[in-house]
Amino acid sequence: MPENFILFKPRDIVSGDFYWAAEKNNITYYAAADCTGHGVPGAFMSMLGISFLNDIIRTSKTELKAADVLDKLKEKVIEALHQTGEAQEAKDGMDIALCKVNSKKEIVEVAGAFNPLYIVRNNEILIYEADRMPIGIYDFEGAGDKFTNKKIKLIKGDALYTFSDGYSDQFGGPRDKKFMIGRFKKMLLQIQDLSMEEQRQFIDDTIERWMENYEQVDDILVIGTKF
């Protein structure tokens, strides 16, 4: 993988957010995921997610698209949790952005369950929206059955960001407000001249100043990769 960083700040000792990566046949897959809950319940789902993703990549006899991985992950989660769609059962699952990187061809594929991919290119943010359905059972309108696969040709200098909603949802600041996604986008544009490690430190310092005397409300995860 090219230059990258991972900012991982669990709210508790264990986390419902997780990051994951695997390589097979010179193809790299990596993901940022946000499971239902935090602490021990969230960590349970994180363990399932990591185990299932490793198994999907390890046992596949063909090269999988990013969306194929999420389709298989969704099937495994539904089966493991015995989800049937009944109204009274828990809707546990996860939101995730998963990228498949072919560095030789300079191509990234992305598929997402609610979580998007941001690419900063030439001082603009390109947003690759996720499908509006989770990994797991769901009972709302507008969701499909299969995840959408998006293929993007990378150019030198592209910076890719995947993340959970913990950063933008953090309360703090002078008016006890959420950080919000708009402020998050402005910050990403502001730090493009920094190395990836410097970006990680800047993003971490920013949210720590924002929280100040407030408690962290959720797990925080941001992954950055520069090509």
Side-chain angles (χ1 to χ4, degrees), residues 110 115-119 121 126-130 150-152:
V110 63
N115 286 4
L117 167 68
Y118 286 2
I119 297 182
R121 177 183 292 174
L126 308 178
I127 301 174
Y128 295 88
E129 297 287 2
K150 298 177 181 179
K151 185 180 289 189
I152 305 145

Side-chain angles (χ1 to χ4, degrees), residues 23-68:
E23 186 179 49
K24 187 172 185 178
N25 299 329
N26 296 317
I27 300 294
T28 301
Y29 298 85
Y30 73 92
D34 182 359
C35 299
T36 307
H38 41 69
V40 173
F44 239 166
M45 287 299 302
S46 290
M47 291 170 64
L48 279 179
I50 292 169
S51 176
F52 288 156
L53 286 167
N54 285 333
D55 185 61
I56 289 166
I57 298 301
R58 180 178 57 83
T59 61
S60 174
K61 293 181 172 57
T62 59
E63 184 177 313
L64 297 172
K65 297 178 181 177
D68 294 335

